[in-house]
Structure formats: C-alpha cells, structure tokens
C-alpha cells in the first residue's frame, strides 16, 4: 500500500520544528531534503503533489532517468546529489543537480570546477568528511580537510559547508559534534547531517540540511 507521503513529510517537519524550538527558538529551520533514491516514481510524485520541492539522490544515472521524466512538470525542484561521485560523471552531475554534498577529493573538485566553468553554472558544494574513519565510506579523512578546502578555494568552488554519514552502528552524537566543530573552525555556515534515524538529534545540534528518505517514503525496495 502507498504510504501517506504528505502526512509523513508533515510529521518529519513537525518533529524538526518541535526539536528546534525546544533547543533554541532562534535556530533557523533546517532544509528538509527528501531522499528519493530507489523509491518508485509514484511516491516521488506524491511528494511533489504535496508541495515538496527539495530532493536528494545518490546516483547520477538513476537521478537522470527519474528527474528527466519529472522535471518538465516541476521546473522549480531543487536536486541535491548526496552520494559519492565518480570523476567521469562530473559533467552529468553538474548538468542535473543544484547542490553537491559529496566532494571528498581534489581530483573530483577539479573535475567539478572545470565542468561548472564549461557549463556556466556555479553550484554550491559541501565537503563530505569521513568522521568515522570507515574504510569503505566516502568522505575525506579529517587530516585532509584543510588542504582539500584550500584546494577547492583555489579552484573557485563555492564550498558552503560540510557533510557526514556517521557509522551505522554508532551513536551519531559525537560525529555531529565533530562536524559542527570542523565547520566552525573553517568558517563554513552549513551542516548536512541527519537521516531518518537521527534527524531530530541533528536538528538539535545545528544541522542546516537534513536528508530523510525512509521516514518519508517508507523502506527502499532494492529488488
Ligand atoms: C540514503 C541516504 C539518506 C537517507 O537515508 P534514510 O535512512 O532512508 O533517511 C541520507 N543520506 C545519504 C547520503 C543517503 O545515501
């Protein structure tokens, strides 16, 4: 059965609002990115019909297929690339997306900067940090962050913040705290953190961008 997508979005929004208000009424509401990867197109349409316009995808090709179909009807959608990006997909990524959350190495930064120049499109980007030092995960190592940031700056990339995906089996609190500390140290205003299981905590800790999939669309069916 199709879940009530509008009700789910409202519930997530309400929970974020409640948390932010509890912590500090002056906190700005974070942006809610509805993560539509792998979800059937009817669910994504339901979110669009409910008025939601900010979506996240983690694969360029899948996003091209889906949004190639949807974007003509919803020209004001804002698409965020939240998954790892291969250098050879930089061109397609710049063409499709509005924001990129997963810059984690200089080679990719160079490819993106080159494509933005070529396409005359300047996208805000986030540096993904591997706060859990997980080998299989994307994100730059903590020690590499200063150099990568300097490299991005030299390339003229507009780095607006940091992003992290905490290890699945750990309390995310210290990862969110670390990301916040790093962003502050480098004068970066935005923090992309928090998913279905921990978005309220992320909101309480100052996230500006929250990436929620399952809590809005239901479990992903990878079959
Ligand atoms: C899939 C994904 C999400 C959403 O995860 P849920 O637990 O379904 O909310 C958030 N961020 C990234 C980077 C993802 O790949």
């Amino acid at each position: 059965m199709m879940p009530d997508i509008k009700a789910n979005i409202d519930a997530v929004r309400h929970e974020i609002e409640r948390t932010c208000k509890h912590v500090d009424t002056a906190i700005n509401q974070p942006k809610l990115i509805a993560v539509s990867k792998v979800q059937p197109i009817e669910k994504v349409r339901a979110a669009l019909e409910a008025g939601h316009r900010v979506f996240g995808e983690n694969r360029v090709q899948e996003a091209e297929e889906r949004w190639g179909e949807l974007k003509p009807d919803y020209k004001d959608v804002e698409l965020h690339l939240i998954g790892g990006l291969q250098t050879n997909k930089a061109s397609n990524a710049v063409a499709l997306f509005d924001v990129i959350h997963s810059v984690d190495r200089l080679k990719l930064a160079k490819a993106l900067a080159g494509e933005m120049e070529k396409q005359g499109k300047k996208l805000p980007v986030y540096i993904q940090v591997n706060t859990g030092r997980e080998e299989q995960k994307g994100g730059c190592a903590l020690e590499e962050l200063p150099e990568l940031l300097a490299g991005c700056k030299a390339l003229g990339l507009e780095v607006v913040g940091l992003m992290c995906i905490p290890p699945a089996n750990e309390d995310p609190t210290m990862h969110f705290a670390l990301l916040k500390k790093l962003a502050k140290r480098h004068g970066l205003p935005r923090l992309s953190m928090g998913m279905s299981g921990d978005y309220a905590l992320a909101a309480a800790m100052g996230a500006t961008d929250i990436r929620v999939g399952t809590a809005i669309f239901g479990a992903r069916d990878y079959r």
Side-chain angles (χ1 to χ4, degrees):
M1 204 189 75
M2 176 101 151
D4 188 340
I5 304 288
K6 183 179 187 319
N8 290 350
I9 292 174
D10 288 346
V12 171
R13 275 200 185 294
H14 186 259
E15 182 60 15
I16 291 172
E17 246 163 64
R18 196 185 67 82
T19 310
C20 289
K21 215 187 260 171
H22 181 75
V23 174
D24 177 359
T25 46
I27 280 190
N28 282 329
Q29 289 295 315
K31 180 176 276 195
L32 176 59
I33 301 170
V35 178
S36 45
K37 65 179 188 202
V38 188
Q39 300 288 355
I41 201 158
E42 312 84 71
K43 289 188 180 179
V44 185
R45 270 196 196 280
L48 286 160
E49 278 159 20
H52 198 78
R53 289 294 181 270
V54 185
F55 293 85
E57 294 281 352
N58 74 337
R59 284 175 197 278
V60 176
Q61 198 187 334
E62 182 193 341
E64 281 177 329
E65 285 166 16
R66 165 167 311 145
W67 291 99
E69 191 174 334
L70 292 171
K71 242 188 167 176
D73 294 337
Y74 297 95
K75 294 192 175 62
D76 54 343
V77 290
E78 184 180 298
L79 290 183
H80 293 243
L81 178 63
I82 60 173
L85 180 58
Q86 288 170 289
T87 310
N88 63 5
K89 300 255 175 69
S91 168
N92 299 48
V94 168
L96 179 67
F97 288 96
D98 301 293
V99 186
I100 294 175
H101 289 238
S102 51
V103 177
D104 61 358
R105 58 199 190 278
L106 194 58
K107 190 171 170 229
L108 176 60
K110 277 187 184 146
L112 288 170
E115 278 304 326
M116 289 185 201
E117 173 91 46
K118 210 191 268 176
Q119 299 183 30
K121 205 176 163 195
K122 190 153 186 171
L123 309 185
V125 304
Y126 293 69
I127 306 274
Q128 183 178 348
V129 184
N130 190 350
T131 60
R133 301 179 183 280
E134 292 175 286
E135 245 171 61
Q136 78 285 8
K137 211 167 247 174
C140 77
L142 297 173
E143 311 74 54
E144 293 166 359
L145 179 61
E147 203 180 321
L148 181 54
L149 272 170
C152 288
K153 211 178 201 178
L155 288 163
L157 280 182
E158 188 195 345
V159 180
V160 295
L162 301 179
M163 181 271 225
C164 76
I165 308 171
N169 54 353
E170 276 181 34
D171 180 347
T173 310
M174 67 175 210
H175 297 276
F176 294 163
L178 173 57
L179 200 72
K180 188 174 181 173
K181 191 180 82 175
L182 292 170
K184 188 166 181 217
R185 180 182 300 162
H186 294 287
L188 297 168
R190 302 195 68 91
L191 285 170
S192 169
M193 59 189 200
M195 314 191 349
S196 290
D198 52 22
Y199 68 83
L201 174 68
M205 294 181 70
T208 61
D209 297 77
I210 289 177
R211 314 176 307 261
V212 176
T214 311
I216 291 174
F217 297 108
R220 286 177 287 278
D221 184 351
Y222 284 98
R223 270 176 309 171

